[in-house]
Amino acid sequence: YRTQQLTGRGEKLKVACAGGSCFVASGTGTAYLERDQRFAAISVDTDAQAMAQGFALRPDGQVIALHSLPESRALSISRWNGKTFVRERSFEIATPKDLPPVVRFADYDPQGRLWIGLAYHDEDGERRPWGIAVLQGSEAPVFHRSTLLPGEERLPGSLALPDDVRDLLFRGEEVWLATDTGACRLRGVKVDLFTENEGMESELVYDLTTDDRGEVIAATYGGVGRFDGKLWRFDIGLIGDFAQDLL
């Protein structure tokens, strides 16, 4: 497969691997199964119109697929049983003008909750960020975002997190979010947003990880920085260098 076939309009490939197989979702809506360096298109639902939006690996090692139908506000989750994907649940996502949601990323935290980064394409085709949905078991999803729809009220448990979340990092009891407005730390219901005022060379954060000492490392438009517990330090030697991904 050519790169364009795999990526389409996606920001990045969404991959989950288990049992010697890797599942890949792209910006094209097509899902791929990779085995022995060979890719094959695979269905994520019995409905042939289902578009793959992402994959995630559960803490128990099972792979789940996130998918939707064209022009639908509903997002579905299916589980790989070793031969095919079996749908487990669906839920609707409220968006401006009922535009179809887009999955930016999906990952499970150590407690087994699924965190889904959301966006939508506006009427001009531009991707607009739309916060995060968090699912636990069969409970209703909790949506976290700053922007509310006209007439919408913030429900219990919903936090006014930045809309523009690109990725996240689970670190002990903390959840770190890479956003377009800084590095955001979530401790329970306490939200801290670290910006240029706290030492960030750039507030455009692409990725987060930890080093061998447990310090949080951020890839930003202004280089790679580390968090010393209070402020961000850009003393790793990549100041001013555009950095998008961390390993």
Side-chain angles (χ1 to χ4, degrees):
Y1 285 93
R2 295 180 182 274
T3 301
Q4 182 63 27
Q5 287 179 275
L6 292 174
T7 58
R9 292 197 299 172
E11 290 179 291
K12 60 174 67 175
L13 293 176
K14 305 167 184 86
V15 182
C17 298
S21 300
C22 289
F23 300 86
V24 182
S26 66
T28 66
T30 303
Y32 298 92
L33 172 61
E34 184 275 332
R35 284 176 177 162
D36 300 323
Q37 300 183 0
R38 294 179 181 272
F39 287 90
I42 186 173
S43 174
V44 292
D45 192 66
T46 54
D47 193 322
Q49 289 186 304
M51 300 181 300
Q53 293 232 28
F55 291 100
L57 187 65
R58 283 179 174 169
D60 62 6
Q62 295 190 80
V63 173
I64 63 103
L66 298 95
H67 53 92
S68 61
L69 295 175
E71 308 306 322
S72 172
R73 290 195 299 118
L75 190 63
S76 297
I77 296 176
S78 295
R79 175 182 54 84
W80 178 251
N81 65 7
K83 295 181 179 180
T84 186
F85 280 97
V86 179
R87 189 186 297 193
E88 291 193 334
R89 65 175 300 186
S90 299
F91 60 95
E92 289 201 347
I93 299 170
T95 60
K97 299 184 179 181
D98 291 335
L99 294 167
V102 176
V103 173
R104 302 185 80 178
F105 61 83
D107 199 5
Y108 282 92
D109 66 17
Q111 290 74 44
R113 296 174 298 181
L114 178 60
W115 294 63
I116 307 171
L118 298 171
Y120 65 91
H121 288 115
D122 65 19
E123 294 171 310
D124 295 322
E126 294 293 325
R127 184 188 295 264
R128 303 296 183 186
W130 199 236
I132 287 179
V134 180
L135 283 74
Q136 184 165 24
S138 59
E139 297 178 7
V142 178
F143 297 97
H144 303 289
R145 48 182 158 82
S146 295
T147 302
L148 295 177
L149 296 170
E152 182 182 12
E153 296 184 359
R154 191 168 301 282
L155 297 177
S158 174
L159 300 176
L161 299 180
D163 293 343
D164 48 5
V165 181
R166 290 176 174 268
D167 211 342
L168 50 67
L169 166 71
F170 303 117
R171 179 177 179 269
E173 296 182 355
E174 299 176 346
V175 180
W176 284 83
L177 309 175
T179 83
D180 291 352
T181 51
C184 183
R185 181 180 62 190
L186 178 60
R187 287 174 166 174
V189 297
K190 188 175 186 297
V191 180
D192 297 301
L193 183 63
F194 298 91
T195 66
E196 293 177 358
N197 293 330
E198 290 75 39
M200 299 292 291
E201 288 290 328
S202 170
E203 295 173 0
L204 188 56
V205 183
Y206 295 103
D207 199 8
L208 294 161
T209 190
T210 54
D211 62 13
D212 54 7
R213 295 176 296 182
E215 290 188 335
V216 178
I217 307 295
T220 80
Y221 187 78
V224 177
R226 63 181 179 86
F227 184 61
D228 67 4
K230 294 183 179 180
L231 298 173
W232 284 89
R233 309 289 184 184
F234 282 71
D235 54 6
I236 300 177
L238 296 172
I239 298 176
D241 292 330
F242 171 60
Q244 220 174 349
D245 290 295
L246 297 168
L247 299 176

